[in-house]
Amino acid sequence: MVPSAPLVKAPIHMDYGLRVRVAPTAFINRGCTILDTPVADVRVGEHVNIGPNVTIISVGHSKTVDKNSKRTSYGSEVIIGDCAWIGAGAIILPGVEIGCHSIIGAGSLVTKDVPAYHVAVGSPARVVSTVGNEVAAEPKDIILTLEDALGTH
């Protein structure tokens, strides 16, 4: 059975949500903040795991001010590829693409793209290793409901 909606643990904070796309097999843990904008997508792929207190930002501001002393805001899409794992407390900045099967270490500040099948850690995040592309065997007994987990059915 394929889930029809992602598993999202409350609380989650989102500015607009208009262009946030989360695959139905994704998991978002508690305290996730998505600072999105109506002009740029935030896409979370299939089987992505997002740890607690992760921040995803798709809006930024100019370095200079206009004639009214205001900074111009801009939107820049953020893409998290299929099967990526984002560690607790990571921050993903505007314009970043995290490749499929990549891992972002807890507490990392992701300022640049991370290629598929790579591990990035630190502040700013740097690629430190690769991830194998082997596909693990499917578990024989998949628990999909709380009742199944508790054996109360």
Side-chain angles (χ1 to χ4, degrees), residues 82-83 100-103 116-119 129-137:
D82 295 345
C83 302
C100 296
H101 296 269
S102 290
I103 298 170
Y117 296 98
H118 283 77
V119 177
S129 65
T130 59
V131 177
N133 62 1
E134 309 84 29
V135 175

Side-chain angles (χ1 to χ4, degrees), residues 3 18 22 24 32 42 61 67 73 89 93 96 99 104 108 115-116 118 120 122-123 125 127 130 149 153:
L18 298 174
V22 180
C32 182
V42 173
H61 297 88
K67 63 182 178 181
S73 63
L93 294 185
V96 167
I104 306 301
S108 295
H118 283 77
S123 182
V127 171
T130 59
H153 60 283

Side-chain angles (χ1 to χ4, degrees), residues 116-153:
Y117 296 98
H118 283 77
V119 177
V121 299
S123 182
R126 301 223 187 298
V127 171
V128 295
S129 65
T130 59
V131 177
N133 62 1
E134 309 84 29
V135 175
E138 285 291 322
K140 301 222 184 291
D141 297 318
I142 299 175
I143 298 172
L144 296 175
T145 67
L146 181 58
E147 290 81 13
D148 288 345
L150 298 174
T152 59
H153 60 283

